[in-house]
Amino acid sequence: MFAKVLYNLCDNSPGYMPVIPRIHREPVKTGCMLISEDDGIGIPQDKKKLIFERGLTTSPGPTTSSGLGLLLVRDILAITGITIKETGIPGVGSRFEGVIPPGKWRIAPAE
């Protein structure tokens, strides 16, 4: 199911920008943060909390969207205790931050 999360985060961007989003992680005091960010148009401030709701889409023009991708992302991550929010800047890009609780992540040793 985690592959579906990554797919939907990446699929959220192509209509809005010319490049693939960057996905990386950052250790934080509360665990580990999974970050997906892009250089697209960003999410309007008034839509930030709504984008994870069923049927909402910010797709411009004739682009079709079911409005279910980010809902699915939120629900899959919630099963494991991971929370997600959008913290990007409108006009600069989208940034999705998923906070993974302590003990729910690990970094494989370098080979």
Side-chain angles (χ1 to χ4, degrees), residues 53-65:
E53 300 302 321
R54 179 181 302 275
L56 181 80
T57 180
T58 57
S59 296
T63 306
T64 59
S65 172

Side-chain angles (χ1 to χ4, degrees), residues 44-90:
Q45 196 65 39
D46 63 332
K47 302 278 191 238
K48 286 184 181 278
K49 289 186 180 179
L50 302 174
I51 59 174
F52 295 102
E53 300 302 321
R54 179 181 302 275
L56 181 80
T57 180
T58 57
S59 296
T63 306
T64 59
S65 172
S66 67
L68 297 175
L70 292 175
L71 170 70
L72 185 61
V73 166
R74 182 196 65 190
D75 289 352
I76 290 171
L77 293 178
I79 291 169
T80 60
I82 300 171
T83 58
I84 189 165
K85 62 183 177 178
E86 201 285 329
T87 61
I89 300 170

